[in-house]
Amino acid sequence: MDDIDLQILRELQADGRLSNQELADRVGLTASPCMRRVRQLERDGVIQGYRAVVNPEAVGRGFEVLVSVEVRRERAAVEAFEAALADIPDVIEAYRLFGSPGCLLRIAVADLEAYERLWIERLTSLAGVTEVNSQIIMKRIKEPRGFPVDRPRSAGASRPRP
């Protein structure tokens, strides 16, 4: 990837609805080469998709909880737990972690009562789960806005000194 590809990525992360002509203007290309670059980034898997950012409260999911889950450290238990998460739409992000906790979930529901039902009926009853701890989000300070897109450093490159 060159600097133009990186600029394309920055622009599309900021506004995925840009027309090809608007994008081309912003990165200093004509429309045709810009489209070729975008299509190549898509084929290479660099651009994995386009999404709308939805206001959670507008869809009745303004109550968010970060949940740490411990699962028995057995392959079958971990696989069953991960498969079960796919069937719980309230779980909007899930990460398997090294160390403890073994898993971190981000859950979005309507309110505390809805979370309590989910906790009792689904989370604590999943196969292999030994512990569930909840942290209610008080305030979202920083929204996900995409990844920083900069020129990658090589592994052996020295860093500038402060």
Side-chain angles (χ1 to χ4, degrees):
M1 284 191 290
D2 63 12
D3 289 337
I4 293 174
D5 289 333
L6 297 175
Q7 184 63 29
I8 288 170
L9 295 175
R10 281 191 288 275
E11 294 294 339
L12 287 176
Q13 283 191 118
D15 184 357
R17 292 187 58 149
L18 286 173
S19 72
N20 183 59
Q21 186 60 58
E22 290 171 316
L23 179 60
D25 290 344
R26 290 184 184 191
V27 301
L29 293 174
T30 58
S32 185
C34 184
M35 180 59 73
R36 279 195 300 274
R37 283 175 177 260
V38 170
R39 295 292 180 242
Q40 188 63 49
L41 290 165
E42 291 169 346
R43 280 191 297 276
D44 291 345
V46 177
I47 296 174
Q48 297 181 338
Y50 301 88
R51 293 177 180 85
V53 178
V54 176
N55 177 341
E57 291 178 8
V59 293
R61 293 187 175 272
F63 190 82
E64 293 187 42
V65 184
L66 298 176
V67 180
S68 58
V69 180
E70 288 294 350
V71 179
R72 282 193 320 274
R73 307 287 175 151
E74 301 165 2
R75 182 178 181 164
V78 171
E79 288 174 352
F81 172 76
E82 290 178 2
L85 289 180
D87 294 329
I88 305 174
D90 303 313
V91 177
I92 56 175
E93 290 182 74
Y95 302 93
R96 186 188 319 159
L97 307 174
F98 286 105
S100 186
C103 189
L104 182 64
L105 311 177
R106 182 171 157 228
I107 293 176
V109 291
D111 52 28
L112 180 59
E113 184 178 314
Y115 177 66
E116 183 180 12
R117 270 194 318 276
L118 176 71
W119 190 90
I120 291 169
E121 295 171 8
R122 304 289 301 271
L123 297 179
T124 58
S125 65
L126 290 173
V129 170
T130 61
E131 188 174 338
V132 177
N133 292 299
S134 308
Q135 301 293 316
I136 297 170
I137 296 175
M138 179 187 305
K139 175 183 175 184
R140 187 179 301 197
I141 298 169
K142 185 175 180 181
E143 299 273 340
R145 294 285 181 208
F147 291 96
V149 179
D150 300 315
R151 182 96 10 243
R153 295 183 197 219
S154 64
S158 64
R159 296 182 180 200
R161 294 182 187 183

mmCIF file of all heavy atoms in Angstrom, residues 15-36:
data_model
loop_
_atom_site.group_PDB
_atom_site.id
_atom_site.type_symbol
_atom_site.label_atom_id
_atom_site.label_comp_id
_atom_site.label_asym_id
_atom_site.label_seq_id
_atom_site.Cartn_x
_atom_site.Cartn_y
_atom_site.Cartn_z
ATOM 1 N N ASP A 15 -15.948 8.509 6.335
ATOM 2 C CA ASP A 15 -17.242 8.605 5.675
ATOM 3 C C ASP A 15 -17.335 7.556 4.579
ATOM 4 O O ASP A 15 -16.891 7.783 3.451
ATOM 5 C CB ASP A 15 -17.445 10.011 5.091
ATOM 6 C CG ASP A 15 -18.827 10.200 4.461
ATOM 7 O OD1 ASP A 15 -19.620 9.229 4.423
ATOM 8 O OD2 ASP A 15 -19.110 11.322 4.014
ATOM 9 N N GLY A 16 -17.903 6.410 4.911
ATOM 10 C CA GLY A 16 -18.023 5.307 3.970
ATOM 11 C C GLY A 16 -19.038 5.543 2.869
ATOM 12 O O GLY A 16 -19.152 4.738 1.945
ATOM 13 N N ARG A 17 -19.778 6.645 2.949
ATOM 14 C CA ARG A 17 -20.786 6.951 1.929
ATOM 15 C C ARG A 17 -20.280 7.903 0.861
ATOM 16 O O ARG A 17 -21.039 8.346 0.011
ATOM 17 C CB ARG A 17 -22.019 7.535 2.596
ATOM 18 C CG ARG A 17 -22.737 6.501 3.441
ATOM 19 C CD ARG A 17 -24.023 7.038 3.950
ATOM 20 N NE ARG A 17 -24.853 7.444 2.817
ATOM 21 C CZ ARG A 17 -26.164 7.417 2.803
ATOM 22 N NH1 ARG A 17 -26.805 7.023 3.867
ATOM 23 N NH2 ARG A 17 -26.850 7.806 1.767
ATOM 24 N N LEU A 18 -19.001 8.229 0.885
ATOM 25 C CA LEU A 18 -18.457 9.109 -0.146
ATOM 26 C C LEU A 18 -18.675 8.484 -1.515
ATOM 27 O O LEU A 18 -18.482 7.274 -1.688
ATOM 28 C CB LEU A 18 -16.949 9.294 0.048
ATOM 29 C CG LEU A 18 -16.451 10.172 1.174
ATOM 30 C CD1 LEU A 18 -14.945 10.077 1.282
ATOM 31 C CD2 LEU A 18 -16.890 11.599 0.968
ATOM 32 N N SER A 19 -19.055 9.307 -2.472
ATOM 33 C CA SER A 19 -19.113 8.798 -3.840
ATOM 34 C C SER A 19 -17.679 8.596 -4.312
ATOM 35 O O SER A 19 -16.732 9.173 -3.753
ATOM 36 C CB SER A 19 -19.833 9.799 -4.751
ATOM 37 O OG SER A 19 -19.003 10.937 -4.970
ATOM 38 N N ASN A 20 -17.514 7.808 -5.338
ATOM 39 C CA ASN A 20 -16.171 7.587 -5.873
ATOM 40 C C ASN A 20 -15.554 8.912 -6.322
ATOM 41 O O ASN A 20 -14.359 9.145 -6.113
ATOM 42 C CB ASN A 20 -16.199 6.580 -7.032
ATOM 43 C CG ASN A 20 -14.813 6.295 -7.532
ATOM 44 O OD1 ASN A 20 -13.955 5.840 -6.784
ATOM 45 N ND2 ASN A 20 -14.570 6.599 -8.795
ATOM 46 N N GLN A 21 -16.356 9.789 -6.916
ATOM 47 C CA GLN A 21 -15.823 11.076 -7.383
ATOM 48 C C GLN A 21 -15.362 11.937 -6.202
ATOM 49 O O GLN A 21 -14.302 12.553 -6.251
ATOM 50 C CB GLN A 21 -16.862 11.837 -8.205
ATOM 51 C CG GLN A 21 -16.309 13.121 -8.825
ATOM 52 C CD GLN A 21 -15.142 12.859 -9.763
ATOM 53 O OE1 GLN A 21 -15.267 12.116 -10.722
ATOM 54 N NE2 GLN A 21 -13.993 13.466 -9.472
ATOM 55 N N GLU A 22 -16.163 11.981 -5.126
ATOM 56 C CA GLU A 22 -15.759 12.742 -3.940
ATOM 57 C C GLU A 22 -14.469 12.180 -3.351
ATOM 58 O O GLU A 22 -13.574 12.926 -2.964
ATOM 59 C CB GLU A 22 -16.861 12.700 -2.880
ATOM 60 C CG GLU A 22 -18.104 13.484 -3.232
ATOM 61 C CD GLU A 22 -19.239 13.231 -2.244
ATOM 62 O OE1 GLU A 22 -19.476 12.063 -1.867
ATOM 63 O OE2 GLU A 22 -19.877 14.219 -1.852
ATOM 64 N N LEU A 23 -14.388 10.852 -3.278
ATOM 65 C CA LEU A 23 -13.187 10.212 -2.746
ATOM 66 C C LEU A 23 -11.988 10.536 -3.623
ATOM 67 O O LEU A 23 -10.919 10.901 -3.121
ATOM 68 C CB LEU A 23 -13.399 8.695 -2.648
ATOM 69 C CG LEU A 23 -12.227 7.873 -2.132
ATOM 70 C CD1 LEU A 23 -11.836 8.307 -0.715
ATOM 71 C CD2 LEU A 23 -12.582 6.390 -2.161
ATOM 72 N N ALA A 24 -12.160 10.429 -4.923
ATOM 73 C CA ALA A 24 -11.065 10.721 -5.858
ATOM 74 C C ALA A 24 -10.578 12.156 -5.691
ATOM 75 O O ALA A 24 -9.363 12.411 -5.647
ATOM 76 C CB ALA A 24 -11.530 10.467 -7.294
ATOM 77 N N ASP A 25 -11.511 13.084 -5.548
ATOM 78 C CA ASP A 25 -11.135 14.488 -5.354
ATOM 79 C C ASP A 25 -10.324 14.665 -4.067
ATOM 80 O O ASP A 25 -9.347 15.407 -4.039
ATOM 81 C CB ASP A 25 -12.380 15.381 -5.301
ATOM 82 C CG ASP A 25 -13.091 15.501 -6.638
ATOM 83 O OD1 ASP A 25 -12.500 15.152 -7.690
ATOM 84 O OD2 ASP A 25 -14.274 15.931 -6.636
ATOM 85 N N ARG A 26 -10.727 13.990 -3.017
ATOM 86 C CA ARG A 26 -10.052 14.141 -1.719
ATOM 87 C C ARG A 26 -8.640 13.556 -1.714
ATOM 88 O O ARG A 26 -7.782 14.015 -0.969
ATOM 89 C CB ARG A 26 -10.871 13.496 -0.606
ATOM 90 C CG ARG A 26 -12.137 14.262 -0.308
ATOM 91 C CD ARG A 26 -12.868 13.665 0.860
ATOM 92 N NE ARG A 26 -14.133 14.336 1.083
ATOM 93 C CZ ARG A 26 -14.871 14.158 2.160
ATOM 94 N NH1 ARG A 26 -14.478 13.330 3.118
ATOM 95 N NH2 ARG A 26 -16.013 14.794 2.286
ATOM 96 N N VAL A 27 -8.425 12.514 -2.521
ATOM 97 C CA VAL A 27 -7.099 11.868 -2.507
ATOM 98 C C VAL A 27 -6.243 12.261 -3.709
ATOM 99 O O VAL A 27 -5.127 11.789 -3.856
ATOM 100 C CB VAL A 27 -7.204 10.329 -2.390
ATOM 101 C CG1 VAL A 27 -7.934 9.933 -1.126
ATOM 102 C CG2 VAL A 27 -7.846 9.713 -3.623
ATOM 103 N N GLY A 28 -6.776 13.136 -4.564
ATOM 104 C CA GLY A 28 -5.988 13.649 -5.672
ATOM 105 C C GLY A 28 -5.867 12.723 -6.871
ATOM 106 O O GLY A 28 -4.847 12.716 -7.554
ATOM 107 N N LEU A 29 -6.910 11.946 -7.128
ATOM 108 C CA LEU A 29 -6.934 11.063 -8.292
ATOM 109 C C LEU A 29 -8.129 11.395 -9.160
ATOM 110 O O LEU A 29 -9.044 12.098 -8.726
ATOM 111 C CB LEU A 29 -7.052 9.591 -7.851
ATOM 112 C CG LEU A 29 -5.902 8.949 -7.114
ATOM 113 C CD1 LEU A 29 -6.295 7.551 -6.662
ATOM 114 C CD2 LEU A 29 -4.653 8.894 -7.980
ATOM 115 N N THR A 30 -8.149 10.834 -10.358
ATOM 116 C CA THR A 30 -9.371 10.873 -11.146
ATOM 117 C C THR A 30 -10.212 9.672 -10.733
ATOM 118 O O THR A 30 -9.729 8.760 -10.042
ATOM 119 C CB THR A 30 -9.064 10.853 -12.656
ATOM 120 O OG1 THR A 30 -8.322 9.673 -12.948
ATOM 121 C CG2 THR A 30 -8.291 12.100 -13.084
ATOM 122 N N ALA A 31 -11.471 9.658 -11.159
ATOM 123 C CA ALA A 31 -12.414 8.648 -10.678
ATOM 124 C C ALA A 31 -11.994 7.214 -11.002
ATOM 125 O O ALA A 31 -12.085 6.330 -10.154
ATOM 126 C CB ALA A 31 -13.805 8.931 -11.231
ATOM 127 N N SER A 32 -11.552 6.960 -12.213
ATOM 128 C CA SER A 32 -11.252 5.587 -12.631
ATOM 129 C C SER A 32 -10.110 4.942 -11.834
ATOM 130 O O SER A 32 -10.275 3.848 -11.298
ATOM 131 C CB SER A 32 -10.960 5.558 -14.130
ATOM 132 O OG SER A 32 -10.792 4.234 -14.558
ATOM 133 N N PRO A 33 -8.949 5.603 -11.706
ATOM 134 C CA PRO A 33 -7.892 4.983 -10.892
ATOM 135 C C PRO A 33 -8.281 4.860 -9.409
ATOM 136 O O PRO A 33 -7.875 3.917 -8.726
ATOM 137 C CB PRO A 33 -6.697 5.906 -11.043
ATOM 138 C CG PRO A 33 -7.020 6.887 -12.086
ATOM 139 C CD PRO A 33 -8.491 6.800 -12.375
ATOM 140 N N CYS A 34 -9.091 5.794 -8.932
ATOM 141 C CA CYS A 34 -9.539 5.712 -7.538
ATOM 142 C C CYS A 34 -10.390 4.464 -7.342
ATOM 143 O O CYS A 34 -10.198 3.713 -6.383
ATOM 144 C CB CYS A 34 -10.317 6.971 -7.164
ATOM 145 S SG CYS A 34 -10.819 7.011 -5.433
ATOM 146 N N MET A 35 -11.327 4.233 -8.254
ATOM 147 C CA MET A 35 -12.190 3.057 -8.162
ATOM 148 C C MET A 35 -11.354 1.773 -8.229
ATOM 149 O O MET A 35 -11.610 0.830 -7.493
ATOM 150 C CB MET A 35 -13.248 3.072 -9.269
ATOM 151 C CG MET A 35 -14.180 1.869 -9.236
ATOM 152 S SD MET A 35 -15.098 1.708 -7.675
ATOM 153 C CE MET A 35 -16.260 3.030 -7.832
ATOM 154 N N ARG A 36 -10.360 1.736 -9.110
ATOM 155 C CA ARG A 36 -9.497 0.545 -9.199
ATOM 156 C C ARG A 36 -8.792 0.280 -7.868
ATOM 157 O O ARG A 36 -8.710 -0.853 -7.418
ATOM 158 C CB ARG A 36 -8.463 0.707 -10.319
ATOM 159 C CG ARG A 36 -9.005 0.396 -11.695
ATOM 160 C CD ARG A 36 -7.891 0.210 -12.714
ATOM 161 N NE ARG A 36 -7.039 1.378 -12.872
ATOM 162 C CZ ARG A 36 -7.290 2.400 -13.694
ATOM 163 N NH1 ARG A 36 -8.396 2.396 -14.427
ATOM 164 N NH2 ARG A 36 -6.452 3.411 -13.782
#
